[in-house]
Amino acid sequence: METHSFAQRSVQQWLLYALPATCLSASYLIYKHRRSLYAWAYQLIAKVPRPPGRAYISGNFAPVEDELLEELELVGGKLPEGLDGCYVRAGPNPFFKPVAGYHWFDGDGMVHLVRLRNGKATYCNRFIETERLKQEREINRPLFVRFGDMCGLRGLAIILLVKLGQAIGALKYLKGIGTANTSLAYHAGRLLALHEGDLPYGVGISCNGLVETMGRLLMPESWRNNFTAHPKLDPENGELLFIGYKIDAKPYLSAGIMDVYGNLVRQWNIHIPRPVMMHDMGATERYLVLLDTPLCFDPEAMIKENTVPFKFRKELPSRIGLLRRDQPSCPEGFADVEWFKIPGPGFHVFHISTSWEEPNGDVKIYLCQMDEIDLNMDGMKNSEPPYLTEYTLSPSTGVARRRRMSMVPVEFPVINPSKATRKCKWSWMAVMDESAEVPTMTGLAKMDLEAATGTDACVAMIKYPPGVFGGEASFVPRTGATVEDDGYLVAYVYDSKADVSYMNIYNALTMSPTPVASLRMPRRVPYGFHGTWVTEEQIKKQVMWV
């Protein structure tokens, strides 16, 4: 009997120590491998059921896997004298094969750069080494939620999983989760790669055209928002004007100004009633121009309608706001904004061409307006194409007037950068194919912003050959130019029949469809978003830190 009791006590004592030790060991192993376990759970949820959204990973939307540095072959025309510098364009390029639905907005940022110098051309493409991509590369699989993930109950499950991943330390959000895949801007000696869900990343360009990520931009602690993909550079004083929006916490919108040295000198919080997608902004000599359009963050629609969580609510009004640039900073309160409610159904705007002030104080805004928008993952079948539209705001009367400028469907507008924030006459835009189910650009249009009422603003058009498609072009003023439109349009185009990409340089003054020069790329360049021209002087003045 005593032996049995002793054995029982021994077992109980063993369990007393073994069970906690086992729990601790299991907890340690789970914690140590929490990122792998999280990634496994993410992929399991994302794959079942298999979602739609293959449109943006096929054809020339499909990513490229290699990073190159090669000299280019001139296959047509002649490189213009004095055109030394870099054409650099950003775009989405998923590093890992998408496991859930995939949207064009989702891919990791990749820049494609062509360096022109002394009559020679070099091409380089590189991923932007974002904090997000670094974390995913460490474990060699996707970790972060993507736009294409957020659809239906699967989207809700992934969002909840992300919250758990943050809580257990599997995901690190403090240094941002943006992709730097949207646009580029040069300011204060820094070329910035931009994405509206994060802060910018600095990009360095070496003499031979090699691209290097310098790191994430450091901002003062008082700035607690993201940074737009479309800041506006004032060529008169070198200030960079920008906004930042977020969808998960108030204030939903902020705005700021950096001086010519890159210092944040003004910042404001701005009250808007609901979280919306505010992709672009405008700027004039005295104002920041804000677009409050009803493409609203709506997680309920994600679940009930099995869509992405941004819903166009055209029953709500669209507003355009004017924020004075000289208004004192208010990082804690809200800035004074004069809002103009636009009559009629709501509309959406991705891109503003330009804006300025008239001598009588009216503000002119030129934008690409969409009256229907659906951000589904299979293209834009339920969207209407954008058209160049003029708005005239009168601060003295509070009245807003609208005029449709052209019936040519266009997007990705650019102007002569020396005319930003001031009155200009010309804007160049990518022409859209209205019949295509995904964004398809078939040429370039030249718009006269001074066109008389009743006439179409499109005065000239470059039409690509059949089977050739492009995107945004950057305007580069010709050295010694004396008129606003004397310069070049630089763009990547893709020949779908030959599966070959080119960088073409067109005459922006004459709009001849024959390129001034055409450079054959070493392999196709996927469709992307926005680019910029970096001059030789700017390359020399780069600061290699952020």
Side-chain angles (χ1 to χ4, degrees):
M1 193 72 176
E2 288 183 9
T3 303
H4 182 67
S5 298
F6 176 78
Q8 279 188 322
R9 287 198 301 271
S10 298
V11 170
Q12 290 172 353
Q13 288 177 345
W14 180 83
L15 289 174
L16 183 67
Y17 294 107
L19 284 175
T22 302
C23 291
L24 284 172
S25 298
S27 299
Y28 171 76
L29 288 173
I30 291 171
Y31 182 79
K32 182 179 179 181
H33 298 286
R34 64 194 184 281
R35 187 171 286 185
S36 297
L37 292 169
Y38 166 86
W40 172 81
Y42 164 74
Q43 294 197 47
L44 182 67
I45 296 171
K47 287 179 179 178
V48 183
R50 187 160 183 79
R54 318 317 290 174
Y56 292 118
I57 52 173
S58 60
N60 198 42
F61 288 99
V64 293
E65 297 180 357
D66 50 356
E67 295 177 302
L68 307 178
L69 178 62
E70 295 188 15
E71 287 194 10
L72 297 181
E73 176 189 3
L74 182 68
V75 294
K78 182 181 179 182
L79 291 174
E81 291 186 16
L83 191 64
D84 285 356
C86 287
Y87 173 56
V88 54
R89 198 214 62 197
N93 197 91
F95 185 84
F96 294 101
K97 183 179 178 180
V99 294
Y102 179 78
H103 197 280
W104 199 20
F105 299 168
D106 278 335
D108 298 292
M110 175 177 277
V111 293
H112 300 265
L113 178 146
V114 173
R115 174 83 159 99
L116 301 182
R117 190 182 188 195
N118 299 328
K120 294 184 178 181
T122 304
Y123 167 75
C124 180
N125 69 304
R126 288 291 185 274
F127 282 99
I128 303 296
E129 295 293 330
T130 62
E131 294 296 328
R132 174 190 186 121
L133 184 56
K134 286 179 182 177
Q135 290 186 56
E136 293 188 333
R137 274 178 161 169
E138 285 176 3
I139 196 168
N140 199 35
R141 62 183 67 183
L143 287 171
F144 291 92
V145 65
R146 286 155 170 76
F147 197 74
D149 292 339
M150 296 186 289
C151 190
L153 290 174
R154 183 188 66 256
L156 177 62
I158 290 176
I159 290 172
L160 294 175
L161 179 66
V162 167
K163 296 292 185 184
L164 175 62
Q166 288 180 264
I168 63 175
L171 300 176
K172 299 176 183 178
Y173 269 59
L174 290 179
K175 293 185 179 181
I177 59 167
T179 56
N181 72 4
T182 310
S183 187
L184 297 133
Y186 184 95
H187 180 250
R190 301 171 296 191
L191 179 61
L192 303 176
L194 304 159
H195 176 260
E196 62 206 63
D198 201 350
L199 297 180
Y201 279 80
V203 177
I205 303 171
S206 66
C207 292
N208 65 349
L210 184 66
V211 179
E212 180 183 1
T213 304
M214 307 310 299
R216 187 168 178 257
L217 183 68
L218 298 175
M219 293 285 283
E221 290 184 3
S222 60
W223 182 260
R224 296 185 291 271
N225 212 317
N226 297 315
F227 196 106
T228 181
H230 291 286
K232 297 296 182 280
L233 178 65
D234 189 329
E236 297 295 322
N237 61 13
E239 288 184 342
L240 190 71
L241 300 91
F242 63 97
I243 59 171
Y245 77 88
K246 54 189 175 183
I247 59 175
D248 57 349
K250 295 181 179 180
Y252 298 127
L253 180 64
S254 304
I257 298 178
M258 287 182 174
D259 66 17
V260 68
Y261 306 107
N263 302 309
L264 182 64
V265 293
R266 275 195 173 86
Q267 65 179 104
W268 308 274
N269 290 326
I270 299 155
H271 174 70
I272 55 175
R274 61 189 67 86
V276 298
M277 183 178 287
M278 197 177 295
H279 182 68
D280 201 354
M281 57 166 285
T284 72
E285 192 172 354
R286 291 187 297 167
Y287 298 106
L288 277 75
V289 180
L290 311 172
L291 299 175
D292 182 14
T293 62
L295 185 56
C296 306
F297 178 64
D298 190 343
E300 188 173 311
M302 176 184 75
I303 300 168
K304 290 183 176 180
E305 301 176 25
N306 199 36
T307 64
V308 295
F310 277 94
K311 183 177 181 180
F312 182 52
R313 299 180 59 189
K314 66 183 303 178
E315 74 277 7
L316 298 176
S318 294
R319 304 188 302 166
I320 303 178
L322 298 179
L323 167 64
R324 288 190 64 98
R325 289 170 58 169
D326 61 0
Q327 190 172 158
S329 290
C330 56
E332 301 301 330
F334 289 103
D336 292 326
V337 178
E338 184 174 5
W339 289 104
F340 293 77
K341 186 177 177 180
I342 309 302
F347 59 88
H348 185 64
V349 176
F350 276 118
H351 299 113
I352 290 179
S353 172
T354 190
S355 50
W356 68 73
E357 296 163 52
E358 293 286 315
N360 66 355
D362 287 355
V363 176
K364 294 279 191 180
I365 305 153
Y366 297 85
L367 47 80
C368 298
Q369 178 171 320
M370 305 178 73
D371 293 331
E372 290 285 350
I373 174 71
D374 182 1
L375 295 179
N376 72 74
M377 289 180 288
D378 289 314
M380 303 187 72
K381 292 175 285 190
N382 300 319
S383 300
E384 291 187 5
Y387 296 97
L388 176 62
T389 306
E390 173 196 74
Y391 281 88
T392 303
L393 310 183
S394 298
S396 60
T397 63
V399 173
R401 301 188 303 277
R402 171 170 48 200
R403 176 167 68 119
R404 178 65 49 88
M405 298 279 295
S406 176
M407 291 311 296
V408 178
V410 287
E411 253 296 359
F412 295 154
V414 298
I415 62 169
N416 185 325
S418 68
K419 294 291 184 178
T421 72
R422 269 60 171 185
K423 186 172 184 177
C424 66
K425 181 176 176 62
W426 302 109
S427 181
W428 294 266
M429 306 178 183
V431 179
M432 298 193 71
D433 181 355
E434 295 179 81
S435 64
E437 294 186 350
V438 293
T440 304
M441 316 297 175
T442 59
L444 298 170
K446 184 177 184 179
M447 298 289 188
D448 181 1
L449 303 183
E450 296 179 353
T453 301
T455 62
D456 198 294
C458 183
V459 298
M461 191 183 300
I462 295 170
K463 294 183 179 180
Y464 300 138
V468 175
F469 307 102
E472 181 191 79
S474 286
F475 178 88
V476 186
R478 186 180 65 83
T479 303
T482 58
V483 294
E484 178 185 328
D485 55 344
D486 188 0
Y488 306 101
L489 297 174
V490 186
Y492 294 127
V493 300
Y494 172 66
D495 184 339
S496 61
K497 296 178 181 178
D499 193 30
V500 175
S501 293
Y502 301 87
M503 190 189 88
N504 285 351
I505 302 172
Y506 297 97
N507 188 319
L509 184 64
T510 67
M511 294 294 287
S512 169
T514 302
V516 175
S518 182
L519 294 157
R520 183 187 177 106
M521 310 306 287
R523 50 108 172 89
R524 68 178 181 85
V525 175
Y527 298 130
F529 296 133
H530 305 283
T532 191
W533 180 262
V534 184
T535 67
E536 192 70 22
E537 182 182 7
Q538 289 172 331
I539 293 172
K540 292 176 181 177
K541 289 184 177 180
Q542 288 177 103
V543 293
M544 305 305 283
W545 64 85
V546 289

